[in-house]
Amino acid sequence: MQPNLTANSRRIESIDILRGLAMVIMALDHVRDYFHYTANTDDPLNFATTTPFLYFTRWITHFCAPIFVFLSGTSIYLQSLRKTKKELSAFLITRGLWLILVEIAIISLAWTFNPQYQFIPLQVIWAIGICMVLLGLLVWLPYKLILILGLLIVLGHNWLDRFDNASWSNSFWWDLVHHAFFTPYPFAPGHYVIIVYPFLTWLGVMMLGYCTGIFFKANYSSGQRRKIFIAIGSFLLVIFIVLRGINIYGDPYPWTTQKNGLFTFLSFINVHKYPPSLLFLCVTIGPSFFLLAFFENIKNAFTDVLRIYGRVAFFYYILHLYLIHLLDVIFFFIRGHALKEATNTGQLPFYFVVPGEGFGLAGVYIVWAFVVITLFPLCKWYNNYKSKHKEKRWLSYL
């Protein structure tokens, strides 16, 4: 049974296992982005053209970003048990700024392989970074106030959708804060930034993850924690079913009747990610509480592997993007393309990506398995290195 947390105890394994599961599933979506033949010509959630298997391949990866951000908040709370407010605030601000820099300088290059940085997408690492900076300021507030503000953001942010069509909302700042319009904004001649993850809702998710960390304190037993997590997960799923069923609030796009019952169900669970709607968060974070409860007392070879990925999540995140894109480059040349075609693929600035080329889903899953398995030895090595060199403070930034 997993021990209760004290200020000096080891990491919570259930958190690392769930984070590791999210990391493994996340790679599936990124492999699909580069290797599925319709990835750059169609939407896998388009009911007119998708298949149930393709839909599921995309939809299951919706869980990854919410888990990643939510558990980042939980981990921050656990750090607060062994750091002063001043130390925690300084760490969050500096690490948040570091993550933003990494998103711009390292991760955007992994996505594009464009050394001129003509296109910089601000995605999940940027969102975690800016949220850490803001939480670094908010940690000075009382716990209950952080909880109230987090709930207000997550429960109420869809009210802001009504302003998306206002003339003043079509701007960089509205895009940055609330709604991802996927508009390229020039910051230099021939260079653009695009907001994929506006930060407001993700800040609310991180704040609620932070507040959830209280249940890992020593005054909550393993059994109490499991009951609480199952109750919270059930409550979130009930909210999802009720609000989604009445189609009034919680997601900007209502579900509709489709050609058959299965596709109508797929429409029902097809909720908005950019930014994450209230219902998107309910249907992804709700089951995540069940998994946290389940993983609390489970230990086997499979969870041991997931724990490794979860303990080195950021390291794995960077490596898996470069490996996936490098494999794409290899198949680009195998298909007979020349180097001069790499920057003229119709998907500028994602070099070496040709719309309409790639594999079916079987090929995508094979590449996904190869990526995950190939990275495991490196992740295991790095986890061991971190465990043996805890005195190296710079390791907490990777």
Side-chain angles (χ1 to χ4, degrees), residues 11 13 16-17 19-21 23 301-316 375-384 386-387:
R11 294 173 65 110
E13 290 192 357
D16 286 330
I17 293 168
R19 185 188 289 116
L21 179 62
M23 294 296 97
F302 179 64
T303 58
D304 286 345
V305 169
L306 293 181
R307 180 174 54 84
I308 297 295
Y309 290 122
R311 293 197 62 172
V312 297
F314 188 39
F315 177 79
Y316 166 89
L375 290 180
F376 182 73
L378 282 173
C379 291
K380 186 176 181 180
W381 166 82
Y382 182 62
N383 178 58
N384 291 336
K386 286 180 64 177
S387 299

Side-chain angles (χ1 to χ4, degrees), residues 113 325 328-329 332-333 335 339 342-343 345 350-354:
F113 273 19
H325 206 157
D328 172 69
V329 172
F332 177 85
F333 288 118
R335 291 193 295 266
L339 181 60
T343 61
T345 62
F350 296 101
Y351 290 178
F352 304 98
V353 178
V354 180

Side-chain angles (χ1 to χ4, degrees), residues 101-121 187-193 322 349 351:
L101 177 62
V102 170
E103 178 79 84
I104 294 171
I106 299 176
I107 296 176
S108 65
L109 180 62
W111 279 105
T112 66
F113 273 19
N114 182 342
Q116 298 181 15
Y117 290 93
Q118 293 172 302
F119 182 80
I120 297 176
F187 63 91
H191 292 75
Y192 301 87
V193 62
Y322 276 96
Y351 290 178

Side-chain angles (χ1 to χ4, degrees), residues 218-239:
N219 49 318
Y220 289 93
S221 69
S222 175
Q224 288 175 318
R225 185 161 48 247
R226 290 182 72 252
K227 290 179 180 179
I228 291 170
F229 286 170
I230 291 172
I232 294 174
S234 300
F235 181 65
L236 291 176
L237 290 183
V238 168
I239 291 177

Side-chain angles (χ1 to χ4, degrees), residues 9-80:
S9 68
R10 60 189 177 89
R11 294 173 65 110
I12 304 299
E13 290 192 357
S14 58
I15 293 176
D16 286 330
I17 293 168
L18 180 57
R19 185 188 289 116
L21 179 62
M23 294 296 97
V24 170
I25 295 174
M26 174 195 62
L28 174 60
D29 193 43
H30 296 160
V31 169
R32 183 193 59 80
D33 284 332
Y34 285 96
F35 284 94
H36 193 250
Y37 64 89
T38 68
N40 296 285
T41 60
D42 200 1
D43 182 358
L45 304 179
N46 179 0
F47 296 120
T49 57
T50 193
T51 65
F53 193 26
L54 176 58
Y55 180 98
F56 173 80
T57 300
R58 170 56 176 149
W59 187 87
I60 193 64
T61 63
H62 281 345
F63 285 80
C64 302
I67 290 175
F68 204 17
V69 177
F70 188 86
L71 293 183
S72 293
T74 305
S75 297
I76 290 167
Y77 183 89
L78 300 181
Q79 291 184 58
S80 75

Side-chain angles (χ1 to χ4, degrees), residues 162-388:
R162 65 185 63 194
F163 301 113
D164 282 343
N165 294 322
S167 58
W168 52 266
S169 70
N170 189 21
S171 67
F172 171 81
W173 296 109
W174 186 250
D175 214 1
L176 184 75
V177 173
H178 174 63
H179 203 295
F181 290 109
F182 290 81
T183 301
Y185 295 99
F187 63 91
H191 292 75
Y192 301 87
V193 62
I194 184 171
I195 312 298
V196 180
Y197 281 68
F199 72 83
L200 178 63
T201 313
W202 294 112
L203 175 61
V205 172
M206 184 175 286
M207 292 167 71
L208 294 182
Y210 172 88
C211 293
T212 300
I214 197 171
F215 298 119
F216 288 98
K217 293 181 68 174
N219 49 318
Y220 289 93
S221 69
S222 175
Q224 288 175 318
R225 185 161 48 247
R226 290 182 72 252
K227 290 179 180 179
I228 291 170
F229 286 170
I230 291 172
I232 294 174
S234 300
F235 181 65
L236 291 176
L237 290 183
V238 168
I239 291 177
F240 169 78
I241 293 170
V242 172
L243 289 183
R244 191 59 169 162
I246 60 180
N247 263 345
I248 293 178
Y249 180 78
D251 196 89
Y253 301 105
W255 65 276
T256 57
T257 301
Q258 300 294 317
K259 59 186 179 182
N260 57 43
L262 174 59
F263 275 79
T264 298
F265 171 73
L266 298 182
S267 175
F268 189 84
I269 64 173
N270 184 31
V271 280
H272 197 242
K273 182 180 180 181
Y274 304 103
S277 68
L278 169 61
L279 297 185
F280 177 94
L281 295 172
C282 286
V283 80
T284 53
I285 295 179
S288 300
F289 273 102
F290 294 141
L291 290 173
L292 274 177
F294 175 73
F295 287 139
E296 178 104 11
N297 298 314
I298 297 295
K299 183 174 178 60
N300 53 43
F302 179 64
T303 58
D304 286 345
V305 169
L306 293 181
R307 180 174 54 84
I308 297 295
Y309 290 122
R311 293 197 62 172
V312 297
F314 188 39
F315 177 79
Y316 166 89
Y317 183 85
I318 294 174
L319 288 185
H320 98 284
L321 288 176
Y322 276 96
L323 177 57
I324 291 170
H325 206 157
L326 180 61
L327 291 173
D328 172 69
V329 172
I330 293 172
F331 281 100
F332 177 85
F333 288 118
I334 290 175
R335 291 193 295 266
H337 295 291
L339 181 60
K340 63 181 180 181
E341 300 177 75
T343 61
N344 187 29
T345 62
Q347 283 292 306
L348 187 73
F350 296 101
Y351 290 178
F352 304 98
V353 178
V354 180
E357 290 191 358
F359 306 136
L361 282 177
V364 169
Y365 276 82
I366 291 171
V367 175
W368 170 54
F370 176 83
V371 168
V372 173
I373 294 171
T374 299
L375 290 180
F376 182 73
L378 282 173
C379 291
K380 186 176 181 180
W381 166 82
Y382 182 62
N383 178 58
N384 291 336
Y385 183 83
K386 286 180 64 177
S387 299
K388 294 177 182 178

